């Protein structure tokens, strides 16, 4: 069961997300007239002053923008660097913070803090998306939809919402830019450790719904089957012992539809177990606490 501290952290984060939602809707990306990011504003946000300003400019330049500025480079190479640096930073930090955690749980904890949704939340929280230079007409609406969606999930949705990858990319590219400018992972951590809050810890991490559903079914000797209807109706259905118990729909990505179907099945599994709803939810919590491996996406069985 979540601790009082974990519940308080979720409560505070929920209200922070609600405030951010209205703010992010005001401005999602720069207009053509404002296409040059204000480097001084970005430096104030991250608390770091660049020696080489070109690195920061590159960190916020999407490849789609290069047709209008051929002399520039996209953020992709800096994103590659930032991804490696961020994983190293979390590996070091968690190794020191949790000396008793085995490698499997450390890996899962690190993954939760550096995945696309978590980093996209960082971009929205600090307004970094407003400085991204791009020519992607749909990105603005995707950002607004994501901003609205995260208000319902204080820390992480565990795959129930679709995070725009470009948002996570610019967090990683900015980390890469800072590292290439200073060549010090300690300086990078000082600049970004507060920006990355709230950091998911062993008390707040949740098990992926697909993993959790498989664990409960295995424990109770239940036959679990996912039915892939995504090509026809953007839907995935979940059957347990040949009885439909869950359905998830999402038109842009089948993986999100599958995750939503698993979550719906978890909400209804007490009907199959023939138990009171509270008892089934206790099993959910137990599976959540016992899972120590990385969330694994299973293939859909039709």
């Amino acid at each position: 069961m979540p601790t009082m501290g974990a519940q308080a952290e979720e409560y505070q984060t929920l209200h922070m997300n609600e405030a951010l939602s209205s703010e992010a809707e005001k401005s999602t990306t720069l207009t053509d007239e404002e296409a040059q990011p204000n480097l001084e504003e970005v430096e104030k946000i991250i608390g770091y002053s660049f020696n080489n300003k070109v690195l920061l400019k590159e960190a916020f330049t999407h490849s789609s923008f290069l047709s209008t500025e051929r002399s520039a480079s996209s953020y992709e190479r800096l994103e590659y660097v930032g991804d490696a640096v961020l994983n190293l930073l979390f590996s070091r930090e968690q190794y020191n913070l949790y000396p008793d955690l085995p490698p499997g749980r450390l890996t899962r904890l690190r993954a939760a803090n550096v995945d696309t949704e978590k980093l996209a939340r960082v971009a929205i929280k600090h307004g970094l998306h407003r400085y991204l230079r791009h020519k992607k007409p749909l990105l603005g609406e995707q950002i607004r939809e994501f901003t609205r969606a995260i208000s319902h999930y204080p820390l992480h949705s565990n795959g129930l919402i679709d995070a725009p990858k470009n948002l996570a990319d610019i967090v990683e590219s900015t980390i890469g830019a800072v590292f290439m400018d200073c060549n010090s992972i300690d300086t990078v951590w000082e600049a970004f450790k507060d920006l990355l809050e709230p950091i998911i810890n062993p008390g707040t991490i949740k098990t992926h719904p697909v993993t959790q559903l498989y664990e409960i079914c295995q424990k109770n000797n239940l036959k679990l089957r996912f039915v892939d209807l995504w090509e026809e109706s953007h839907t995935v259905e979940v059957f347990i012992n040949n009885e439909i118990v869950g359905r998830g729909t999402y038109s842009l990505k089948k993986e999100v539809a599958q995750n939503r179907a698993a979550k719906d099945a978890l909400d209804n599994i007490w009907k199959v177990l023939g138990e009171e709803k509270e008892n089934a939810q206790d099993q959910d919590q137990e599976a959540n606490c016992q899972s120590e491996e990385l969330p694994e996406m299973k293939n859909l069985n039709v």
Side-chain angles (χ1 to χ4, degrees), residues 15-289:
H15 287 274
M16 183 185 300
N17 284 338
E18 290 174 347
L20 289 169
S21 178
S22 60
E23 179 64 25
E25 296 221 14
K26 297 177 183 177
S27 174
T28 55
T29 52
L30 295 174
T31 64
D32 289 344
E33 292 76 16
E34 301 170 322
Q36 296 296 328
N38 188 326
L39 299 181
E40 290 185 1
E41 289 183 8
V42 174
E43 287 177 319
K44 288 178 182 178
I45 292 172
I46 65 177
Y48 177 84
S49 181
F50 278 80
N51 298 305
N52 183 359
K53 307 291 187 183
V54 174
L55 286 170
L56 184 54
K57 181 179 178 180
E58 182 178 324
F60 285 87
T61 303
H62 188 265
S63 57
S64 65
F65 191 82
L66 297 183
S67 59
T68 62
E69 190 171 325
R70 299 185 183 279
S71 61
S73 299
S74 79
Y75 62 56
E76 292 174 355
R77 284 165 54 84
L78 288 175
E79 176 201 345
Y80 159 79
V81 174
D83 175 71
V85 171
L86 187 60
N87 275 274
L88 176 59
L89 286 169
F90 268 104
S91 296
R92 183 181 69 172
E93 187 71 5
Q94 292 173 175
Y95 179 87
N96 291 327
L97 282 176
Y98 311 116
D100 297 327
L101 282 188
R105 292 189 65 186
L106 288 172
T107 300
R108 180 170 169 254
L109 195 59
R110 181 185 62 195
N113 279 291
V114 303
D115 71 7
T116 298
E117 182 183 326
K118 183 64 171 65
L119 297 183
R121 287 170 177 262
V122 173
I124 293 295
K125 179 179 179 181
H126 299 288
L128 295 176
H129 59 290
R130 296 181 289 120
Y131 303 93
L132 175 60
R133 304 189 303 167
H134 70 91
K135 293 291 182 181
K136 298 185 70 177
L138 299 180
L139 182 57
E141 178 54 36
Q142 291 171 350
I143 291 174
R144 284 187 288 270
E145 180 182 341
F146 175 70
T147 303
R148 290 190 292 266
I150 61 176
S151 66
H152 301 290
Y153 303 95
L155 291 178
H156 204 291
S157 77
N158 285 296
L160 301 180
I161 59 179
D162 189 11
K165 184 178 181 297
N166 298 127
L167 294 180
D169 289 347
I170 59 174
V171 174
E172 291 182 328
S173 63
T174 307
I175 290 172
V178 172
F179 176 75
M180 295 306 296
D181 191 63
C182 68
N183 197 32
S184 166
I185 62 170
D186 291 327
T187 300
V188 174
W189 184 244
E190 283 302 311
F192 284 91
K193 64 180 181 180
D194 290 335
L195 297 178
L196 294 168
E197 292 286 351
I199 292 174
I200 298 171
N201 59 53
T204 57
I205 192 170
K206 305 294 183 183
T207 304
H208 194 283
V210 174
T211 302
Q212 193 173 352
L213 185 60
Y214 270 97
E215 289 175 350
I216 291 176
C217 289
Q218 184 177 19
K219 178 180 178 180
N220 292 277
N221 296 316
L222 302 174
K223 181 182 178 182
L224 173 63
R225 183 166 59 98
F226 284 88
V227 176
D228 182 1
L229 303 173
W230 195 79
E231 293 294 335
E232 298 84 5
S233 59
H234 302 137
T235 298
V236 174
E237 295 180 340
V238 178
F239 286 78
I240 295 179
N241 289 350
N242 296 318
E243 177 183 348
I244 187 167
V245 293
R247 179 181 289 109
T249 301
Y250 187 68
S251 62
L252 299 181
K253 189 180 293 184
K254 180 165 65 174
E255 181 180 320
V256 175
Q258 180 187 9
N259 297 338
R260 291 179 177 181
K263 179 61 170 64
D264 191 37
L266 286 170
D267 292 340
N268 296 319
I269 199 169
W270 60 277
K271 298 176 182 177
V272 179
L273 293 173
E275 301 176 357
E276 294 295 329
K277 188 173 184 179
E278 290 76 9
N279 292 337
Q281 289 174 338
D282 288 342
Q283 287 204 41
D284 289 354
Q285 290 288 347
E286 183 180 349
N288 215 12
C289 294

